[in-house]
Amino acid sequence: MYLFNIYETEISVTPKELFADNHSIVVIRVIPLNSFGKRIPFRKVPAEFEIIEGKDQVTVEKLNRDEGILVLKAGAKTGEVSIIVKSEKSLLPSYVLIQVKPNYACAQLF
């Protein structure tokens, strides 16, 4: 029971930032955790994803509400993308902030 019951969820964002190059991809996944704080094998958590800011900076490549997965692809604009994640097994919604950075190196001049 302690290994396979869902006690909490965790939001995984891989990678943590995007680049405005029309190719960068970020995967947001809801991970079920057991009472030991470890990932539960063979279990998925349904979730709802709502982009509340920065909709024009990304496109949705994949949305699987049943498995709690959202894949976003960066566009050509920089800025921030804010997402609210609501899962069935969480007490409160989670807030995810993703930075979309410029696709060039910045040199610092002295």
Side-chain angles (χ1 to χ4, degrees), residues 45-82:
V45 178
E48 293 290 325
F49 300 91
E50 180 183 356
I51 301 173
I52 56 173
E53 182 183 353
K55 290 180 185 179
D56 59 335
Q57 297 167 359
V58 293
T59 57
V60 176
E61 288 290 304
K62 178 182 176 185
L63 174 60
N64 190 335
R65 290 184 177 98
D66 294 332
E67 294 187 9
I69 298 173
L70 174 66
V71 179
L72 298 174
K73 184 176 180 182
K77 294 183 179 181
T78 60
E80 294 180 342
V81 179
S82 303

mmCIF file of all heavy atoms in Angstrom, residues 45-82:
data_model
loop_
_atom_site.group_PDB
_atom_site.id
_atom_site.type_symbol
_atom_site.label_atom_id
_atom_site.label_comp_id
_atom_site.label_asym_id
_atom_site.label_seq_id
_atom_site.Cartn_x
_atom_site.Cartn_y
_atom_site.Cartn_z
ATOM 1 N N VAL A 45 -1.048 10.323 -13.431
ATOM 2 C CA VAL A 45 -1.952 11.256 -12.758
ATOM 3 C C VAL A 45 -2.581 12.172 -13.810
ATOM 4 O O VAL A 45 -1.870 12.916 -14.484
ATOM 5 C CB VAL A 45 -1.199 12.110 -11.714
ATOM 6 C CG1 VAL A 45 -2.134 13.097 -11.057
ATOM 7 C CG2 VAL A 45 -0.535 11.237 -10.678
ATOM 8 N N PRO A 46 -3.894 12.132 -13.974
ATOM 9 C CA PRO A 46 -4.549 13.068 -14.894
ATOM 10 C C PRO A 46 -4.380 14.512 -14.401
ATOM 11 O O PRO A 46 -4.401 14.761 -13.201
ATOM 12 C CB PRO A 46 -6.023 12.645 -14.850
ATOM 13 C CG PRO A 46 -6.023 11.260 -14.326
ATOM 14 C CD PRO A 46 -4.838 11.162 -13.423
ATOM 15 N N ALA A 47 -4.211 15.419 -15.351
ATOM 16 C CA ALA A 47 -3.996 16.820 -14.987
ATOM 17 C C ALA A 47 -4.540 17.738 -16.067
ATOM 18 O O ALA A 47 -4.632 17.369 -17.225
ATOM 19 C CB ALA A 47 -2.513 17.088 -14.767
ATOM 20 N N GLU A 48 -4.868 18.952 -15.638
ATOM 21 C CA GLU A 48 -5.292 20.031 -16.533
ATOM 22 C C GLU A 48 -4.183 21.073 -16.562
ATOM 23 O O GLU A 48 -3.615 21.409 -15.523
ATOM 24 C CB GLU A 48 -6.585 20.667 -16.045
ATOM 25 C CG GLU A 48 -7.788 19.766 -16.114
ATOM 26 C CD GLU A 48 -8.231 19.503 -17.537
ATOM 27 O OE1 GLU A 48 -8.121 20.424 -18.374
ATOM 28 O OE2 GLU A 48 -8.683 18.382 -17.804
ATOM 29 N N PHE A 49 -3.890 21.602 -17.746
ATOM 30 C CA PHE A 49 -2.864 22.618 -17.923
ATOM 31 C C PHE A 49 -3.515 23.867 -18.506
ATOM 32 O O PHE A 49 -4.276 23.779 -19.472
ATOM 33 C CB PHE A 49 -1.776 22.129 -18.878
ATOM 34 C CG PHE A 49 -1.066 20.896 -18.406
ATOM 35 C CD1 PHE A 49 -1.510 19.636 -18.758
ATOM 36 C CD2 PHE A 49 0.053 20.993 -17.607
ATOM 37 C CE1 PHE A 49 -0.863 18.495 -18.334
ATOM 38 C CE2 PHE A 49 0.712 19.862 -17.166
ATOM 39 C CZ PHE A 49 0.258 18.610 -17.527
ATOM 40 N N GLU A 50 -3.205 25.021 -17.932
ATOM 41 C CA GLU A 50 -3.753 26.286 -18.418
ATOM 42 C C GLU A 50 -2.611 27.290 -18.558
ATOM 43 O O GLU A 50 -1.967 27.649 -17.568
ATOM 44 C CB GLU A 50 -4.797 26.815 -17.446
ATOM 45 C CG GLU A 50 -5.410 28.118 -17.883
ATOM 46 C CD GLU A 50 -6.388 28.668 -16.862
ATOM 47 O OE1 GLU A 50 -6.660 28.010 -15.853
ATOM 48 O OE2 GLU A 50 -6.853 29.800 -17.095
ATOM 49 N N ILE A 51 -2.364 27.726 -19.779
ATOM 50 C CA ILE A 51 -1.344 28.753 -20.029
ATOM 51 C C ILE A 51 -2.000 30.096 -19.755
ATOM 52 O O ILE A 51 -2.920 30.504 -20.466
ATOM 53 C CB ILE A 51 -0.804 28.675 -21.462
ATOM 54 C CG1 ILE A 51 -0.195 27.302 -21.728
ATOM 55 C CG2 ILE A 51 0.238 29.769 -21.700
ATOM 56 C CD1 ILE A 51 0.216 27.070 -23.161
ATOM 57 N N ILE A 52 -1.527 30.796 -18.720
ATOM 58 C CA ILE A 52 -2.169 32.045 -18.337
ATOM 59 C C ILE A 52 -1.418 33.270 -18.838
ATOM 60 O O ILE A 52 -1.980 34.356 -18.881
ATOM 61 C CB ILE A 52 -2.370 32.132 -16.813
ATOM 62 C CG1 ILE A 52 -1.061 31.962 -16.067
ATOM 63 C CG2 ILE A 52 -3.375 31.109 -16.352
ATOM 64 C CD1 ILE A 52 -1.173 32.198 -14.579
ATOM 65 N N GLU A 53 -0.153 33.106 -19.217
ATOM 66 C CA GLU A 53 0.634 34.227 -19.734
ATOM 67 C C GLU A 53 1.647 33.688 -20.735
ATOM 68 O O GLU A 53 2.240 32.642 -20.517
ATOM 69 C CB GLU A 53 1.365 34.919 -18.583
ATOM 70 C CG GLU A 53 2.170 36.120 -19.000
ATOM 71 C CD GLU A 53 2.928 36.739 -17.841
ATOM 72 O OE1 GLU A 53 2.730 36.335 -16.694
ATOM 73 O OE2 GLU A 53 3.736 37.628 -18.113
ATOM 74 N N GLY A 54 1.839 34.387 -21.838
ATOM 75 C CA GLY A 54 2.840 34.009 -22.822
ATOM 76 C C GLY A 54 2.355 33.004 -23.853
ATOM 77 O O GLY A 54 3.159 32.260 -24.408
ATOM 78 N N LYS A 55 1.058 32.971 -24.126
ATOM 79 C CA LYS A 55 0.521 32.023 -25.101
ATOM 80 C C LYS A 55 1.095 32.243 -26.501
ATOM 81 O O LYS A 55 1.205 31.302 -27.282
ATOM 82 C CB LYS A 55 -0.999 32.139 -25.168
ATOM 83 C CG LYS A 55 -1.710 31.633 -23.961
ATOM 84 C CD LYS A 55 -3.208 31.787 -24.115
ATOM 85 C CE LYS A 55 -3.901 31.379 -22.838
ATOM 86 N NZ LYS A 55 -5.355 31.535 -22.927
ATOM 87 N N ASP A 56 1.449 33.487 -26.804
ATOM 88 C CA ASP A 56 1.977 33.794 -28.131
ATOM 89 C C ASP A 56 3.459 33.439 -28.285
ATOM 90 O O ASP A 56 4.003 33.524 -29.376
ATOM 91 C CB ASP A 56 1.772 35.272 -28.448
ATOM 92 C CG ASP A 56 2.455 36.194 -27.449
ATOM 93 O OD1 ASP A 56 2.670 35.762 -26.298
ATOM 94 O OD2 ASP A 56 2.766 37.337 -27.822
ATOM 95 N N GLN A 57 4.107 33.010 -27.217
ATOM 96 C CA GLN A 57 5.533 32.674 -27.264
ATOM 97 C C GLN A 57 5.794 31.184 -27.465
ATOM 98 O O GLN A 57 6.907 30.788 -27.774
ATOM 99 C CB GLN A 57 6.218 33.140 -25.983
ATOM 100 C CG GLN A 57 6.157 34.630 -25.814
ATOM 101 C CD GLN A 57 6.546 35.057 -24.417
ATOM 102 O OE1 GLN A 57 6.848 34.244 -23.563
ATOM 103 N NE2 GLN A 57 6.538 36.356 -24.195
ATOM 104 N N VAL A 58 4.765 30.358 -27.283
ATOM 105 C CA VAL A 58 4.926 28.912 -27.415
ATOM 106 C C VAL A 58 3.752 28.313 -28.181
ATOM 107 O O VAL A 58 2.698 28.932 -28.302
ATOM 108 C CB VAL A 58 5.020 28.222 -26.027
ATOM 109 C CG1 VAL A 58 6.288 28.607 -25.306
ATOM 110 C CG2 VAL A 58 3.805 28.520 -25.172
ATOM 111 N N THR A 59 3.957 27.103 -28.697
ATOM 112 C CA THR A 59 2.878 26.319 -29.284
ATOM 113 C C THR A 59 2.825 24.982 -28.552
ATOM 114 O O THR A 59 3.851 24.476 -28.104
ATOM 115 C CB THR A 59 3.096 26.078 -30.791
ATOM 116 O OG1 THR A 59 4.352 25.426 -30.981
ATOM 117 C CG2 THR A 59 3.060 27.362 -31.579
ATOM 118 N N VAL A 60 1.632 24.438 -28.442
ATOM 119 C CA VAL A 60 1.453 23.152 -27.764
ATOM 120 C C VAL A 60 1.741 22.046 -28.775
ATOM 121 O O VAL A 60 1.035 21.902 -29.772
ATOM 122 C CB VAL A 60 0.028 23.018 -27.198
ATOM 123 C CG1 VAL A 60 -0.171 21.649 -26.582
ATOM 124 C CG2 VAL A 60 -0.250 24.120 -26.187
ATOM 125 N N GLU A 61 2.786 21.274 -28.524
ATOM 126 C CA GLU A 61 3.153 20.163 -29.394
ATOM 127 C C GLU A 61 2.398 18.892 -29.020
ATOM 128 O O GLU A 61 2.021 18.125 -29.881
ATOM 129 C CB GLU A 61 4.665 19.888 -29.307
ATOM 130 C CG GLU A 61 5.512 20.934 -29.973
ATOM 131 C CD GLU A 61 5.382 20.888 -31.483
ATOM 132 O OE1 GLU A 61 5.618 19.831 -32.080
ATOM 133 O OE2 GLU A 61 5.033 21.940 -32.051
ATOM 134 N N LYS A 62 2.225 18.679 -27.704
ATOM 135 C CA LYS A 62 1.527 17.484 -27.232
ATOM 136 C C LYS A 62 0.824 17.820 -25.926
ATOM 137 O O LYS A 62 1.399 18.462 -25.056
ATOM 138 C CB LYS A 62 2.515 16.342 -27.009
ATOM 139 C CG LYS A 62 1.891 15.072 -26.485
ATOM 140 C CD LYS A 62 2.945 14.010 -26.236
ATOM 141 C CE LYS A 62 2.335 12.781 -25.612
ATOM 142 N NZ LYS A 62 3.346 11.790 -25.260
ATOM 143 N N LEU A 63 -0.409 17.380 -25.800
ATOM 144 C CA LEU A 63 -1.167 17.548 -24.564
ATOM 145 C C LEU A 63 -1.883 16.239 -24.284
ATOM 146 O O LEU A 63 -2.753 15.822 -25.043
ATOM 147 C CB LEU A 63 -2.174 18.690 -24.688
ATOM 148 C CG LEU A 63 -3.134 18.872 -23.517
ATOM 149 C CD1 LEU A 63 -2.384 19.152 -22.226
ATOM 150 C CD2 LEU A 63 -4.120 19.971 -23.809
ATOM 151 N N ASN A 64 -1.480 15.571 -23.200
ATOM 152 C CA ASN A 64 -2.105 14.325 -22.784
ATOM 153 C C ASN A 64 -2.604 14.517 -21.355
ATOM 154 O O ASN A 64 -1.844 14.390 -20.403
ATOM 155 C CB ASN A 64 -1.117 13.168 -22.872
ATOM 156 C CG ASN A 64 -1.787 11.832 -22.681
ATOM 157 O OD1 ASN A 64 -2.838 11.730 -22.053
ATOM 158 N ND2 ASN A 64 -1.178 10.794 -23.228
ATOM 159 N N ARG A 65 -3.870 14.859 -21.226
ATOM 160 C CA ARG A 65 -4.445 15.124 -19.908
ATOM 161 C C ARG A 65 -4.531 13.858 -19.060
ATOM 162 O O ARG A 65 -4.403 13.910 -17.843
ATOM 163 C CB ARG A 65 -5.822 15.753 -20.060
ATOM 164 C CG ARG A 65 -5.779 17.159 -20.584
ATOM 165 C CD ARG A 65 -7.179 17.774 -20.633
ATOM 166 N NE ARG A 65 -7.121 19.139 -21.073
ATOM 167 C CZ ARG A 65 -7.343 19.524 -22.324
ATOM 168 N NH1 ARG A 65 -7.623 18.629 -23.244
ATOM 169 N NH2 ARG A 65 -7.281 20.794 -22.637
ATOM 170 N N ASP A 66 -4.753 12.716 -19.689
ATOM 171 C CA ASP A 66 -4.883 11.462 -18.943
ATOM 172 C C ASP A 66 -3.579 11.044 -18.268
ATOM 173 O O ASP A 66 -3.592 10.445 -17.201
ATOM 174 C CB ASP A 66 -5.363 10.343 -19.862
ATOM 175 C CG ASP A 66 -6.769 10.591 -20.370
ATOM 176 O OD1 ASP A 66 -7.540 11.269 -19.659
ATOM 177 O OD2 ASP A 66 -7.087 10.113 -21.469
ATOM 178 N N GLU A 67 -2.455 11.341 -18.904
ATOM 179 C CA GLU A 67 -1.153 10.980 -18.340
ATOM 180 C C GLU A 67 -0.461 12.159 -17.673
ATOM 181 O O GLU A 67 0.610 12.003 -17.095
ATOM 182 C CB GLU A 67 -0.252 10.385 -19.423
ATOM 183 C CG GLU A 67 -0.765 9.063 -19.942
ATOM 184 C CD GLU A 67 0.198 8.402 -20.893
ATOM 185 O OE1 GLU A 67 1.340 8.878 -21.030
ATOM 186 O OE2 GLU A 67 -0.197 7.402 -21.508
ATOM 187 N N GLY A 68 -1.020 13.358 -17.757
ATOM 188 C CA GLY A 68 -0.444 14.534 -17.116
ATOM 189 C C GLY A 68 0.823 15.021 -17.776
ATOM 190 O O GLY A 68 1.815 15.309 -17.108
ATOM 191 N N ILE A 69 0.808 15.129 -19.114
ATOM 192 C CA ILE A 69 1.990 15.558 -19.869
ATOM 193 C C ILE A 69 1.625 16.711 -20.793
ATOM 194 O O ILE A 69 0.608 16.665 -21.494
ATOM 195 C CB ILE A 69 2.570 14.402 -20.703
ATOM 196 C CG1 ILE A 69 3.014 13.264 -19.792
ATOM 197 C CG2 ILE A 69 3.731 14.874 -21.563
ATOM 198 C CD1 ILE A 69 3.437 12.025 -20.533
ATOM 199 N N LEU A 70 2.464 17.746 -20.803
ATOM 200 C CA LEU A 70 2.333 18.875 -21.717
ATOM 201 C C LEU A 70 3.697 19.134 -22.341
ATOM 202 O O LEU A 70 4.697 19.262 -21.622
ATOM 203 C CB LEU A 70 1.849 20.127 -20.986
ATOM 204 C CG LEU A 70 1.790 21.425 -21.786
ATOM 205 C CD1 LEU A 70 0.738 21.336 -22.889
ATOM 206 C CD2 LEU A 70 1.518 22.600 -20.884
ATOM 207 N N VAL A 71 3.752 19.198 -23.669
ATOM 208 C CA VAL A 71 4.990 19.492 -24.391
ATOM 209 C C VAL A 71 4.786 20.808 -25.127
ATOM 210 O O VAL A 71 3.845 20.943 -25.921
ATOM 211 C CB VAL A 71 5.367 18.370 -25.374
ATOM 212 C CG1 VAL A 71 6.638 18.715 -26.124
ATOM 213 C CG2 VAL A 71 5.525 17.039 -24.635
ATOM 214 N N LEU A 72 5.663 21.772 -24.866
ATOM 215 C CA LEU A 72 5.600 23.093 -25.499
ATOM 216 C C LEU A 72 6.821 23.313 -26.373
ATOM 217 O O LEU A 72 7.934 22.905 -26.019
ATOM 218 C CB LEU A 72 5.539 24.188 -24.441
ATOM 219 C CG LEU A 72 4.344 24.183 -23.505
ATOM 220 C CD1 LEU A 72 4.513 25.244 -22.434
ATOM 221 C CD2 LEU A 72 3.059 24.396 -24.275
ATOM 222 N N LYS A 73 6.612 24.000 -27.484
ATOM 223 C CA LYS A 73 7.695 24.351 -28.394
ATOM 224 C C LYS A 73 7.803 25.865 -28.453
ATOM 225 O O LYS A 73 6.792 26.557 -28.604
ATOM 226 C CB LYS A 73 7.410 23.788 -29.783
ATOM 227 C CG LYS A 73 8.506 24.013 -30.779
ATOM 228 C CD LYS A 73 8.151 23.326 -32.079
ATOM 229 C CE LYS A 73 9.224 23.527 -33.115
ATOM 230 N NZ LYS A 73 8.855 22.895 -34.382
ATOM 231 N N ALA A 74 9.020 26.373 -28.347
ATOM 232 C CA ALA A 74 9.248 27.821 -28.339
ATOM 233 C C ALA A 74 9.025 28.413 -29.719
ATOM 234 O O ALA A 74 9.257 27.763 -30.735
ATOM 235 C CB ALA A 74 10.664 28.124 -27.869
ATOM 236 N N GLY A 75 8.597 29.665 -29.720
ATOM 237 C CA GLY A 75 8.459 30.419 -30.952
ATOM 238 C C GLY A 75 9.673 31.322 -31.141
ATOM 239 O O GLY A 75 10.785 30.993 -30.716
ATOM 240 N N ALA A 76 9.460 32.486 -31.713
ATOM 241 C CA ALA A 76 10.557 33.415 -31.970
ATOM 242 C C ALA A 76 10.593 34.570 -30.976
ATOM 243 O O ALA A 76 11.485 35.406 -31.041
ATOM 244 C CB ALA A 76 10.448 33.959 -33.389
ATOM 245 N N LYS A 77 9.626 34.642 -30.051
ATOM 246 C CA LYS A 77 9.569 35.741 -29.084
ATOM 247 C C LYS A 77 10.185 35.328 -27.755
ATOM 248 O O LYS A 77 10.098 34.184 -27.349
ATOM 249 C CB LYS A 77 8.117 36.160 -28.838
ATOM 250 C CG LYS A 77 7.439 36.759 -30.029
ATOM 251 C CD LYS A 77 6.037 37.191 -29.652
ATOM 252 C CE LYS A 77 5.327 37.819 -30.827
ATOM 253 N NZ LYS A 77 3.974 38.253 -30.455
ATOM 254 N N THR A 78 10.776 36.299 -27.066
ATOM 255 C CA THR A 78 11.330 36.060 -25.735
ATOM 256 C C THR A 78 10.339 36.527 -24.676
ATOM 257 O O THR A 78 9.398 37.249 -24.972
ATOM 258 C CB THR A 78 12.668 36.806 -25.550
ATOM 259 O OG1 THR A 78 12.427 38.205 -25.706
ATOM 260 C CG2 THR A 78 13.704 36.344 -26.541
ATOM 261 N N GLY A 79 10.582 36.088 -23.438
ATOM 262 C CA GLY A 79 9.720 36.502 -22.338
ATOM 263 C C GLY A 79 9.478 35.358 -21.368
ATOM 264 O O GLY A 79 10.304 34.462 -21.230
ATOM 265 N N GLU A 80 8.324 35.394 -20.709
ATOM 266 C CA GLU A 80 7.973 34.378 -19.723
ATOM 267 C C GLU A 80 6.659 33.706 -20.099
ATOM 268 O O GLU A 80 5.752 34.349 -20.631
ATOM 269 C CB GLU A 80 7.823 35.004 -18.335
ATOM 270 C CG GLU A 80 9.096 35.551 -17.771
ATOM 271 C CD GLU A 80 8.907 36.156 -16.390
ATOM 272 O OE1 GLU A 80 7.756 36.460 -16.012
ATOM 273 O OE2 GLU A 80 9.915 36.329 -15.701
ATOM 274 N N VAL A 81 6.575 32.419 -19.793
ATOM 275 C CA VAL A 81 5.349 31.651 -19.996
ATOM 276 C C VAL A 81 4.917 31.133 -18.629
ATOM 277 O O VAL A 81 5.695 30.469 -17.944
ATOM 278 C CB VAL A 81 5.576 30.484 -20.978
ATOM 279 C CG1 VAL A 81 4.303 29.677 -21.149
ATOM 280 C CG2 VAL A 81 6.067 30.995 -22.310
ATOM 281 N N SER A 82 3.689 31.447 -18.227
ATOM 282 C CA SER A 82 3.145 31.019 -16.935
ATOM 283 C C SER A 82 2.070 29.967 -17.169
ATOM 284 O O SER A 82 1.181 30.164 -17.995
ATOM 285 C CB SER A 82 2.532 32.196 -16.191
ATOM 286 O OG SER A 82 3.483 33.207 -16.010
#
